Amino acid sequence: MRFQVLVAAVFWSGFVDSRKVRGISSSYKRFYKERKSFLCIDGSKIIPFEQVNDDYCDCEDGSDEPGTSACPRGRFYCTNLGFRPHYIPSSRVNDGICDCCDASDEYNSPAHCQNTCWNLGQKERAYVEGQMRTLDEGLRLKQQLIEEGVLLWREKQAQLRELQQVAEDLQIKLEEHRRRKHEAERLKEQTLKALEAGDSGLRHQNRTVTSIFQLLDSDKDGSITVDEVKAKVVLVHDEERLLSEDEALGLLGGGHQIDLTKFRRTLWDVLTRGDSVKIKDTPGSDDPHLEAADKAAEWEATNLKKVEEAYETVNMEISDLRKKLAIDYGTDWEFLFLNSQCYKLQVYEYIYTLCPFNQVTQKNTAGTEVSLGTWGMWAGTPKNQYSQMVYENGEPCWQGGSRTTTVTLTCGTETALRSVKEPSKCQYIMDFQTPVACQPVLKQRGVHSEL
Amino acid sequence: MATFAERMVPVLVLWLAVCLTGTWAVDRGNFKTCDQSSFCKRQRALKPGESPYRALLETMELTNTRLTLQLINDNNKVRLLLELYRLQGNITRVKINELKPLKPRYEVPDVLIREPPTEPLSLLSQDENGVVLSLGSESQRVIISARPFRLDIMEGSDVLMSLNSRGLLTFEHLRMRKDTFSYKVTSTVASVWDNIKRVFSSQADPEADKKEETDPANQAETTKEEEEKVEDGMWEEMFKSHSDSKPNGPSAISLDFSLPGVEHVYGIPEHADTLRLKTTENGDPYRLYNLDVFQYELYNPMALYGAVPVMLAHNTQRTTGIFWLNAAETWVDISSNTAGKTVFGKMLDYVQGSSETPQTDVRWISESGIIDVFLMLGPTPKDVFSQYASLTGTQSFPPLASLGYHQCRWNYNDQEDVQSVDAGFDEHDIPYDFIWLDIEHTDGKRYFTWDPHKFATPKEMLQGLKDKKRKLVAIVDPHIKIDSNYKIHNEIRSRGFYVKNKDGGDYEGWCWPGSAGYPDFFRADMRAWWASMFAYDKYEGSMENMYTWNDMNEPSVFNGPEVTMHKDAVHGAWENRDVHNLYGLYVQMATADGLTQRSGGVERPFVLSRAFFAGSQRYGAVWTGDNAAEWDHLKISIPMCLSLGLVGMSFCGADIGGFFKTPSTELLVRWYQTGAYQPFFRAHAHLDTPRREPWLFGPENTALIREAIRQRYALLPYWYQQFYHAHRTGDPIMRPLWVEYPQDPATFAVDDEYLIGRDLLVHPVTEEGARGLTAYLPGKDEVWFDVHTFQKHNGAQNLYIPVTMSSIPVFQRGGSIIPRKVRVRRSSECMEHDPYTLYVALNLQRTAEGELYIDDGHTFNYERKEFIHRRLSFAKNILSSVNLAPDAQFTTRSWIERVVILGASKPSKVTLKTADGQDSQLEFDFDASMSVLTLRKPGMNAGADWTVMLQ
């Protein structure tokens, strides 16, 4: 293909040499066929053909002077054989500055322009090839990253589902615990009410016997043992001294363990007399029933709280994960891997850190860190919205507003922060290179680049 | 750029203060009112009445060139010496000094370009009441009245100007301090206590003081002296936390001038006020004291960065000027007997015939120095300009490129930034000539150095610009970082070149670099050394396409009183009090000398300065300092530059877009459109504002800005010619309408439109959301052509012009010929050899005249007659080019590519006759609807003789 272009260019440079058609491209050649007159391309005027490229602007659209600087709106075509052809404004023709690499724009000027097209072309080709290699490699890496991204995405989705399952389980548990807590509280309430009622009624005695029995019956097996007596019963006059085995045995009427009926006749009797032994004072619980109910309610509350906390944690994890997953990581989740990564670059006296989808910071040599913004949104072109990121609401600025960072993503084989600039105060721009920014469309353009 | 409060700690405080008050404006409390400036307060307290001064006619001496005469103050018997000179060109100079001052009083050097040549004075008559002198050949006389002393300048039976007619001449003579015991005011209490002590001491022991005065010369006078009233602030004064020790005591001077028949006075820049000066009776006088004012307010008489003590007075009959040559803090009071009257009131006076003659009274008050005043007697505006130019010189002739567009910002961050902005202009096909670097380009605010990282290879950067025929300006401020590793500082210190404080040590102030010294530019040896620092081998990284910007040269001292230098700082034999307003001029002078010398005197310098004084026009450009992105700031740029132009400083501009704050896109576009038609065309922006390069506001606005800049470039031949003219004559370039239409009172207060030269009338759009505007087209015999549509309008009318965003209302005067280069390229240098298009606008007599000036655009070779200067004229259907400077030699490659004749009729043929006698027929095109005749490609060389005949 290059050969064809070359041949065409050489063939048509025969025309280019003629004064009349200086500064036009082959596609415009048809307008400049030598005739008696010339019609301005916009059709506005007919002039004698001698007035084409005669260094005087006749046509409003500048079409009569493609090869001179006469027309303010004109343009000059650099053929640039060996490199890319392009247009320059007519004002750059013979201005003493070499614009076309083939030097064709300075045909009547003191500037000594060299034809640098072959060099440039070579450089360009090398560059394009390099770019293509980069692109190929980048696209390959991108594919990997996409695959990884998909896996990661799935993993994250699985993680989310798992968490959701845990949350559901916890939900059930939570309800059970709520019910139990409720029950325990109800019991406690009842006990309390009964206690209050008993204080002024006949059942006081009865209840008291039972409740004292229950209080002493630490292991709740329906009988009181010597050990249980020793644990809870003390001498009225010497509360510090523990009862001896024999004394306890005596209080139980000689038996090693007694039931409620026996208790009523033995220990209960002694206790109600109140002159020798008494129940050890346990703070806050005058009534063993109430204490038990209280403890039960507290227990259930603690259990519920634990479950609630677990539930909350899981839910937070879910919402975090959902938030992360709600971010747009590209059509193939190719940008997902950037989440949780950070990239650093030192520029003059500052170290910049970009943590994609999270935040941007700047640290000076003294170690002070300043936020240059937190993740805002994708802000690329409508064609490729993933070409730019915006981080906003960083540290406030002296004149109002806050620091913002715009990150431009470009194709490269490595993922790295390439440059940071602050064109205006508090407005940062970063160049961030990564394979995932590589676009196949770029490759096409590379292939079609004219030589 | 740049001001006081925005840095470090005070910054935040101020910013908070600003936020709290909810306004963006000057902190007036930082600057003195007349009441807070003790001499102004003392002087202003004196009311008009009988003057204590009497002329001692018996002391009169009249030589061929001057008259001297003693004046005596009958209250204190102090004698003054009056000198009166008649200067060439209708100027009268009046000098008053103490006859025997205790020590010399400051007389301003280096402002007058030479000792002004005198003309003979002759005595007409004399009696015991006074003297009448003839002023040259005209019917002008000076009448000196003896008791009280008064001076009247007459022409025929008209009084042109009277001095001391209101008896406000004062001269605080230098004196010994009476209260000689230790006396330090440290607090109000101490001050009160001291006052009490002072009273006691002077009453109890008056002899003790007198014994100390041993000078026999003074003895005779002092014994007769009345008891001098010692007032607060005479020997020491405080402002905020700053104390001003006044070792020389009171030294103020004052004089009043009456201007009969005058209702319009102008000048005394720099103030952010209307072109026509206002009366000051109900507020402070206009103040002249070079100050770095943070976020200055508009429409008030506060002092700003520069001071030119020149006032113009104008009425339909005559224009005169007063040049008060004094560099100390100065206040100017203006009053008028018609000021209070409404238009209706004035009309009533007229109808009833009860009107007294309108009169403006002016009073000048300065803190020290002498009275040295030049009365420029016109009679035309242009006579006054040339009179002033004969005293202080004319606008320097700048390199052509500096008339192009300047792209500035605080700051372009690094070389890459400079390169990408430069590339942006090419990408968007917008011409520009200069890119600017503000303070951040230096190594830690050490001027003459480069930031080693951001500007590591400045020559590479400069070469890159040079390859595109573009240039760079780097800032060099006069505050020098005190740092023993900084070569410039070490040299200045070791040579003893720093300004000294009152105790004799080096004066230190706080500025951008932190602690800084201030070179004493009042020393010629210091200036010579400074100039030598611009040599290519001294200023590392500099190249021939690099020029200089002097900012902060009031000087700005962040921690000084009123953000400037202490008045008791010492410059050799003088206090800053005596010389203050001259500092900035010297900085720019020394810098411009440096730029000239580095090329061996070949290349013209370009130096922009923020501070200035009378005479600064000789050294380069000035701008209106740190303005703001507001519509009113855009509007005020016109009267501010017009006022500067009237006092010789033509190379004036305002920061396009406004320095502080962020302009709306509309404001920015309008500012470009306005700035494109003002002499110094530079965009600038504060560090804290978003970027505003011309292409950042969408393609539509880029196109509007591009078009404005292109209009500027197309007109560069005309601008350059105007600068050449200003350099030759002192005429302003941007001029008020009344300068060209002095008899049309409708023009006297116009300051929303102006003329460039005499041929272009500009009324920029300066209103937000404007759909139209009304322009006054002056001259009842004039016609004006819209330069864009070629539509013809009659003069002496208010013309309503509908406008869109692309409109820049500009009119060419019928009767003029304006050369343009319509092939606008990326910089002015690229256009050097381009052909010209001549725009011939016919007047009612179907004639037109213009000029064409061409030289190399950048060297002093024009002084050696290397230029082309031609007169172009159109009369009787013949357009011709004749040589205005036959002894000059220059060749150009430029030719005439087109002649556009506005207001023409259709010829049947057009013949070109060139110098070699050859005739040729020219093609032409005639647009009957607009009566525009375009001659196609006549092709003759721009430097040749030729005629074109229309038949």
Side-chain angles (χ1 to χ4, degrees):
Chain A
M1 193 192 84
R2 191 185 304 161
F3 179 68
Q4 278 179 337
V5 173
L6 200 131
V7 167
V10 168
F11 173 67
W12 144 77
S13 65
F15 293 95
V16 180
D17 266 350
S18 136
R19 180 182 68 91
K20 297 294 183 195
V21 287
R22 197 196 295 272
I24 56 162
S25 72
S26 55
S27 55
Y28 275 82
K29 209 170 54 178
R30 60 197 170 90
F31 294 110
Y32 296 90
K33 287 207 181 107
E34 191 141 4
R35 295 195 187 95
K36 275 189 98 169
S37 61
F38 174 80
L39 175 65
C40 302
I41 291 178
D42 65 1
S44 60
K45 204 173 176 183
I46 296 176
I47 57 170
F49 197 83
E50 300 87 68
Q51 290 184 5
V52 171
N53 275 348
D54 72 338
D55 207 14
Y56 183 87
C57 191
D58 292 288
C59 299
E60 194 63 17
D61 65 354
S63 57
D64 63 315
E65 297 294 318
T68 75
S69 59
C71 288
R73 264 175 285 279
R75 53 182 197 166
F76 178 93
Y77 185 79
C78 308
T79 307
N80 289 350
L81 198 59
F83 187 55
R84 261 182 286 117
H86 67 102
Y87 282 101
I88 59 169
S90 289
S91 65
R92 292 180 197 172
V93 173
N94 292 328
D95 67 347
I97 299 167
C98 313
D99 290 285
C100 307
C101 63
D102 63 4
S104 57
D105 60 320
E106 297 299 315
Y107 58 87
N108 182 18
S109 117
H112 299 292
C113 301
Q114 307 291 319
N115 189 324
T116 55
C117 290
W118 281 111
N119 268 340
L120 282 174
Q122 233 153 1
K123 267 191 209 156
E124 168 96 345
R125 281 186 289 278
Y127 174 77
V128 168
E129 275 161 30
Q131 286 292 96
M132 305 249 283
R133 272 198 303 275
T134 302
L135 187 58
D136 283 343
E137 176 67 4
L139 285 172
R140 195 182 59 75
L141 289 168
K142 182 179 179 178
Q143 199 48 47
Q144 274 179 19
L145 287 165
I146 287 174
E147 280 158 26
E148 276 172 36
V150 171
L151 288 179
L152 199 58
W153 178 259
R154 285 192 193 139
E155 196 182 294
K156 295 274 174 196
Q157 290 289 357
Q159 201 181 331
L160 180 62
R161 276 197 300 278
E162 227 167 81
L163 282 170
Q164 277 166 340
Q165 188 56 52
V166 173
E168 266 171 48
D169 293 350
L170 280 170
Q171 176 91 42
I172 294 164
K173 243 185 171 170
L174 199 61
E175 270 156 33
E176 170 64 14
H177 278 278
R178 277 199 188 118
R179 195 189 53 72
R180 276 159 69 175
K181 182 184 168 229
H182 184 72
E183 183 60 24
E185 271 168 0
R186 200 183 51 78
L187 246 165
K188 183 180 151 191
E189 202 76 4
Q190 257 179 16
T191 314
L192 201 61
K193 270 190 190 151
L195 203 58
E196 279 162 10
D199 274 346
S200 52
L202 283 170
R203 275 167 38 205
H204 175 71
Q205 178 79 358
N206 224 0
R207 273 195 51 96
T208 308
V209 173
T210 325
S211 67
I212 294 295
F213 183 83
Q214 272 174 6
L215 178 66
L216 291 175
D217 181 14
S218 298
D219 59 3
K220 310 288 178 216
D221 64 348
S223 62
I224 296 171
T225 63
V226 172
D227 286 344
E228 281 168 343
V229 170
K230 279 166 78 179
K232 295 251 170 85
V233 180
V234 288
L235 295 169
V236 171
H237 303 296
D238 190 358
E239 291 180 34
E240 297 303 299
R241 192 173 71 78
L242 286 178
L243 293 179
S244 69
E245 192 87 10
D246 293 338
E247 284 165 338
L249 215 58
L251 286 172
L252 293 178
H256 277 278
Q257 56 180 41
I258 51 168
D259 60 7
L260 181 60
T261 330
K262 250 193 185 161
F263 170 71
R264 204 189 284 271
R265 281 183 279 116
T266 56
L267 184 51
W268 172 248
D269 222 31
V270 184
L271 283 169
T272 39
R273 262 188 278 126
D275 52 356
S276 56
V277 294
K278 60 170 189 177
I279 305 288
K280 204 193 271 183
D281 284 333
T282 40
S285 66
D286 294 336
D287 183 86
H289 286 288
L290 184 60
E291 196 192 352
D294 209 42
K295 272 199 169 157
E298 202 176 289
W299 169 258
E300 293 301 342
T302 312
N303 281 347
L304 177 63
K305 208 175 169 203
K306 275 183 196 157
V307 179
E308 272 176 348
E309 271 167 14
Y311 184 70
E312 210 170 288
T313 311
V314 171
N315 269 330
M316 254 157 67
E317 271 178 51
I318 290 174
S319 111
D320 270 7
L321 195 56
R322 276 209 176 119
K323 225 183 265 169
K324 274 189 182 178
L325 292 173
I327 293 175
D328 180 354
Y329 293 106
T331 42
D332 302 315
W333 301 294
E334 65 269 31
F335 294 102
L336 184 61
F337 80 102
L338 292 173
N339 199 330
S340 75
Q341 304 287 323
C342 289
Y343 302 89
K344 284 185 195 303
L345 184 70
Q346 177 155 9
V347 181
Y348 304 130
E349 67 267 41
Y350 296 108
I351 293 169
Y352 294 87
T353 308
L354 166 67
C355 305
F357 306 108
N358 191 1
Q359 59 163 354
V360 183
T361 58
Q362 176 200 54
K363 202 172 184 174
N364 65 13
T365 37
T368 320
E369 196 166 74
V370 168
S371 165
L372 306 186
T374 52
W375 166 250
M377 60 196 158
W378 288 107
T381 56
K383 235 175 145 186
N384 177 15
Q385 62 155 321
Y386 303 112
S387 60
Q388 223 165 57
M389 296 168 152
V390 172
Y391 294 79
E392 49 204 4
N393 299 320
E395 196 93 345
C397 301
W398 185 71
Q399 292 249 328
S402 56
R403 288 168 171 76
T404 57
T405 304
T406 305
V407 181
T408 302
L409 289 85
T410 51
C411 171
T413 50
E414 280 174 0
T415 299
L417 192 52
R418 287 296 177 193
S419 77
V420 182
K421 284 180 199 158
E422 188 188 3
S424 307
K425 252 294 156 77
C426 296
Q427 291 180 358
Y428 296 82
I429 52 174
M430 292 184 161
D431 179 17
F432 182 59
Q433 224 174 52
T434 171
V436 287
C438 298
Q439 296 286 338
V441 63
L442 231 176
K443 194 172 176 177
Q444 268 184 350
R445 213 191 301 149
V447 169
H448 288 287
S449 106
E450 284 181 71
L451 293 177
Chain B
M1 46 132 278
T3 23
F4 172 51
E6 35 176 290
R7 93 229 69 109
M8 301 150 236
V9 183
V11 171
L12 215 71
V13 175
L14 186 101
W15 183 69
L16 282 174
V18 165
C19 284
L20 289 174
T21 54
T23 53
W24 263 78
V26 66
D27 181 357
R28 284 186 184 227
N30 277 337
F31 302 100
K32 288 185 185 177
T33 61
C34 177
D35 255 5
Q36 288 167 320
S37 194
S38 75
F39 78 92
C40 186
K41 185 181 181 181
R42 274 199 311 277
Q43 296 298 319
R44 224 186 179 203
L46 297 176
K47 296 297 170 209
E50 182 92 338
S51 174
Y53 285 97
R54 180 161 54 88
L56 302 173
L57 296 180
E58 65 280 13
T59 64
M60 184 175 85
E61 287 174 35
L62 180 64
T63 68
N64 200 21
T65 58
R66 75 168 187 173
L67 172 143
T68 59
L69 182 64
Q70 290 178 24
L71 308 178
I72 187 163
N73 180 332
D74 278 329
N75 293 338
N76 60 16
K77 304 300 175 206
V78 175
R79 287 188 183 206
L80 306 179
L81 180 69
L82 168 85
E83 294 171 72
L84 192 130
Y85 302 83
R86 173 65 180 177
L87 304 183
Q88 281 177 17
N90 204 12
I91 305 169
T92 297
R93 181 181 193 178
V94 178
K95 250 174 116 166
I96 303 176
N97 197 350
E98 286 183 61
L99 182 63
K100 289 175 184 163
L102 264 183
K103 56 192 271 189
R105 299 179 64 118
Y106 190 63
E107 298 188 34
V108 177
D110 296 319
V111 167
L112 300 179
I113 48 172
R114 55 178 172 169
E115 196 50 41
T118 55
E119 279 181 350
L121 280 166
S122 58
L123 187 65
L124 289 179
S125 66
Q126 179 178 10
D127 61 15
E128 73 279 7
N129 293 322
V131 182
V132 181
L133 296 156
S134 160
L135 290 175
S137 55
E138 294 166 55
S139 58
Q140 283 182 4
R141 286 156 293 144
V142 180
I143 301 171
I144 301 172
S145 309
R147 184 190 291 267
F149 163 70
R150 166 185 175 134
L151 217 145
D152 292 278
I153 296 180
M154 311 277 297
E155 184 171 288
S157 56
D158 294 333
V159 179
L160 300 184
M161 208 182 278
S162 306
L163 279 63
N164 200 32
S165 53
R166 290 191 298 152
L168 293 168
L169 166 65
T170 45
F171 218 101
E172 290 181 338
H173 61 284
L174 299 177
R175 62 202 77 182
M176 299 296 286
R177 192 166 182 172
K178 295 288 173 62
D179 48 339
T180 44
F181 57 81
S182 146
Y183 175 72
K184 283 255 181 274
V185 181
T186 48
S187 68
T188 332
V189 177
S191 156
V192 168
W193 175 236
D194 273 4
N195 281 334
I196 294 165
K197 283 197 288 190
R198 213 179 313 141
V199 168
F200 277 104
S201 77
S202 56
Q203 283 178 348
D205 193 11
E207 293 307 308
D209 292 334
K210 287 184 180 158
K211 274 176 208 153
E212 290 182 13
E213 291 171 5
T214 50
D215 180 358
N218 275 331
Q219 201 66 45
E221 301 279 5
T222 43
T223 45
K224 278 183 278 177
E225 250 179 56
E226 277 187 359
E227 204 58 58
E228 285 287 338
K229 213 169 87 187
V230 178
E231 288 175 41
D232 253 3
M234 276 187 164
W235 292 93
E236 177 154 34
E237 81 180 275
M238 294 287 292
F239 179 65
K240 302 186 93 177
S241 60
H242 302 282
S243 137
D244 176 11
S245 74
K246 298 166 105 173
N248 297 323
S251 59
I253 53 166
S254 162
L255 182 59
D256 64 274
F257 301 80
S258 291
L259 302 159
V262 169
E263 287 184 274
H264 293 82
V265 287
Y266 308 93
I268 53 168
E270 180 177 42
H271 299 101
D273 208 352
T274 50
L275 171 66
R276 180 194 179 182
L277 298 171
K278 293 170 183 147
T279 58
T280 56
E281 286 142 316
N282 299 318
D284 260 4
Y286 283 99
R287 188 182 188 203
L288 293 170
Y289 190 57
N290 292 0
L291 292 175
D292 178 1
V293 181
F294 181 69
Q295 290 174 348
Y296 61 79
E297 253 176 61
L298 306 186
Y299 303 109
N300 76 43
M302 285 173 72
L304 286 178
Y305 314 95
V308 184
V310 175
M311 182 186 280
L312 272 64
H314 177 72
N315 63 23
T316 51
Q317 304 304 311
R318 180 180 281 271
T319 310
T320 58
I322 298 170
F323 171 29
W324 175 266
L325 180 51
N326 187 298
E329 179 185 341
T330 296
W331 299 77
V332 185
D333 252 324
I334 298 168
S335 57
S336 153
N337 61 356
T338 55
K341 290 185 183 171
T342 58
V343 174
F344 181 74
K346 284 186 200 174
M347 217 156 67
L348 209 66
D349 280 348
Y350 179 76
V351 172
Q352 295 169 345
S354 67
S355 169
E356 50 182 330
T357 318
Q359 177 169 315
T360 296
D361 294 311
V362 181
R363 179 192 190 185
W364 297 71
I365 304 168
S366 293
E367 186 174 9
S368 69
I370 63 163
I371 293 174
D372 188 2
V373 61
F374 298 81
L375 309 172
M376 301 176 289
L377 298 174
T380 69
K382 291 193 184 164
D383 290 332
V384 175
F385 301 142
S386 83
Q387 285 153 7
Y388 182 62
S390 75
L391 298 170
T392 66
T394 59
Q395 178 63 55
S396 63
F397 190 31
L400 171 59
S402 66
L403 306 183
Y405 172 63
H406 298 259
Q407 181 67 37
C408 185
R409 165 174 189 86
W410 178 25
N411 214 104
Y412 287 120
N413 296 334
D414 47 27
Q415 287 179 210
E416 198 192 336
D417 200 359
V418 168
Q419 201 192 348
S420 77
V421 171
D422 175 74
F425 278 92
D426 286 343
E427 189 187 329
H428 298 92
D429 198 16
I430 298 172
Y432 90 96
D433 270 83
F434 280 80
I435 188 163
W436 291 53
L437 295 179
D438 208 324
I439 51 173
E440 311 297 332
H441 84 276
T442 59
D443 181 8
K445 318 293 189 295
R446 293 170 186 87
Y447 305 105
F448 300 101
T449 70
W450 302 85
D451 184 299
H453 306 290
K454 297 170 182 173
F455 294 91
T457 54
K459 282 194 177 176
E460 225 169 79
M461 170 180 68
L462 286 163
Q463 188 60 49
L465 292 168
K466 199 181 168 202
D467 290 345
K468 296 231 195 114
K469 305 194 178 185
R470 288 173 179 152
K471 295 155 180 68
L472 180 137
V473 168
I475 197 164
V476 174
D477 287 353
H479 50 258
I480 302 299
K481 186 179 175 73
I482 295 177
D483 168 8
S484 57
N485 293 318
Y486 178 27
K487 214 172 63 189
I488 297 279
H489 161 72
N490 288 339
E491 278 218 43
I492 297 175
R493 171 157 286 180
S494 68
R495 290 167 191 255
F497 279 163
Y498 277 126
V499 174
K500 302 289 184 278
N501 60 35
K502 66 177 169 21
D503 305 315
D506 284 352
Y507 179 89
E508 284 184 25
W510 196 263
C511 209
W512 295 123
S515 198
Y518 292 78
D520 193 350
F521 284 90
F522 291 85
R523 293 178 60 159
D525 53 354
M526 156 62 210
R527 294 198 300 273
W529 175 85
W530 178 269
S532 74
M533 288 299 104
F534 290 88
Y536 295 121
D537 56 345
K538 284 279 168 48
Y539 192 160
E540 277 173 45
S542 68
M543 272 178 37
E544 63 275 19
N545 64 334
M546 188 175 111
Y547 298 80
T548 309
W549 171 18
N550 294 147
D551 196 3
M552 316 296 278
N553 52 340
E554 296 76 23
S556 179
V557 181
F558 292 158
N559 58 344
E562 303 191 84
V563 204
T564 193
M565 192 169 274
H566 290 72
K567 282 183 170 170
D568 53 12
V570 176
H571 309 264
W574 306 106
E575 285 187 282
N576 186 262
R577 182 187 332 280
D578 306 310
V579 304
H580 179 88
N581 287 346
L582 210 49
Y583 190 84
L585 174 141
Y586 275 131
V587 174
Q588 195 183 13
M589 174 199 275
T591 305
D593 283 350
L595 294 193
T596 305
Q597 286 164 22
R598 69 177 185 181
S599 67
V602 172
E603 297 289 330
R604 291 175 228 165
F606 171 73
V607 182
L608 176 73
S609 172
R610 192 170 68 179
F612 50 81
F613 189 68
S616 285
Q617 70 270 16
R618 305 194 297 261
Y619 307 111
V622 296
W623 90 109
T624 62
D626 299 346
N627 62 358
E630 291 167 5
W631 288 92
D632 277 348
H633 273 269
L634 169 58
K635 290 189 189 100
I636 205 89
S637 70
I638 299 173
M640 286 180 83
C641 280
L642 285 175
S643 296
L644 278 163
L646 287 176
V647 299
M649 305 191 49
S650 268
F651 206 177
C652 168
D655 286 348
I656 307 289
F659 177 67
F660 291 113
K661 313 221 283 186
T662 301
S664 66
T665 304
E666 184 190 355
L667 176 58
L668 185 67
V669 168
R670 291 302 191 198
W671 213 317
Y672 269 101
Q673 293 173 339
T674 304
Y677 287 90
Q678 291 178 353
F680 178 54
F681 183 28
R682 182 186 75 151
H684 188 30
H686 190 279
L687 184 70
D688 289 319
T689 60
R691 286 281 174 139
R692 48 171 104 135
E693 285 71 48
W695 50 86
L696 295 176
F697 304 91
E700 223 170 277
N701 294 301
T702 305
L704 290 170
I705 294 171
R706 178 192 296 122
E707 173 57 24
I709 298 177
R710 290 172 71 107
Q711 286 185 26
R712 168 61 166 235
Y713 275 78
L715 257 185
L716 281 178
Y718 182 72
W719 277 108
Y720 193 53
Q721 187 182 305
Q722 294 308 311
F723 271 89
Y724 180 72
H725 183 78
H727 177 60
R728 287 286 182 224
T729 64
D731 286 351
I733 292 172
M734 182 172 160
R735 38 183 98 140
L737 268 52
W738 64 261
V739 167
E740 293 297 335
Y741 301 90
Q743 293 179 345
D744 179 0
T747 63
F748 291 1
V750 172
D751 62 5
D752 55 356
E753 65 179 79
Y754 53 92
L755 293 157
I756 300 169
R758 55 187 289 235
D759 299 334
L760 278 184
L761 176 75
V762 187
H763 191 314
V765 183
T766 57
E767 293 286 342
E768 185 170 17
R771 298 289 183 81
L773 55 80
T774 303
Y776 180 68
L777 304 184
K780 67 180 196 309
D781 302 321
E782 301 279 27
V783 289
W784 294 91
F785 293 88
D786 184 312
V787 299
H788 310 295
T789 64
F790 301 142
Q791 197 180 342
K792 185 161 113 179
H793 302 280
N794 290 323
Q797 65 154 328
N798 282 303
L799 179 70
Y800 180 80
I801 306 160
V803 298
T804 63
M805 267 319 288
S806 65
S807 307
I808 316 176
V810 179
F811 300 89
Q812 182 177 346
R813 190 176 58 81
S816 67
I817 301 176
I818 289 181
R820 281 190 173 84
K821 282 186 175 178
V822 297
R823 303 185 181 190
V824 174
R825 306 197 190 238
R826 66 185 126 196
S827 76
S828 64
E829 200 185 318
C830 293
M831 296 162 62
E832 186 185 352
H833 307 296
D834 278 345
Y836 291 89
T837 295
L838 304 179
Y839 288 81
V840 181
L842 301 185
N843 59 14
L844 296 172
Q845 291 75 44
R846 306 186 57 73
T847 65
E849 281 217 342
E851 290 175 21
L852 186 57
Y853 175 83
I854 306 171
D855 64 15
D856 64 23
H858 58 95
T859 72
F860 282 107
N861 293 350
Y862 71 91
E863 289 179 344
R864 303 198 320 239
K865 296 269 171 194
E866 289 183 24
F867 60 82
I868 293 165
H869 195 190
R870 306 198 65 86
R871 173 170 309 289
L872 307 169
S873 50
F874 184 95
K876 297 180 177 147
N877 279 327
I878 295 174
L879 175 66
S880 61
S881 169
V882 298
N883 201 344
L884 269 178
D887 55 340
Q889 286 286 323
F890 191 72
T891 52
T892 177
R893 282 167 48 195
S894 297
W895 46 286
I896 311 295
E897 73 169 327
R898 190 184 291 104
V899 177
V900 181
I901 304 174
L902 312 179
S905 42
K906 188 175 182 176
S908 54
K909 73 172 183 180
V910 179
T911 314
L912 167 70
K913 195 191 273 291
T914 48
D916 56 9
Q918 294 244 320
D919 280 7
S920 54
Q921 302 296 309
L922 296 183
E923 284 181 48
F924 60 88
D925 181 69
F926 184 72
D927 174 355
S929 68
M930 283 290 164
S931 304
V932 176
L933 175 67
T934 304
L935 310 185
R936 187 187 189 281
K937 209 183 174 190
M940 55 285 196
N941 185 281
D945 291 332
W946 49 263
T947 52
V948 170
M949 268 179 302
L950 312 183
Q951 283 162 305

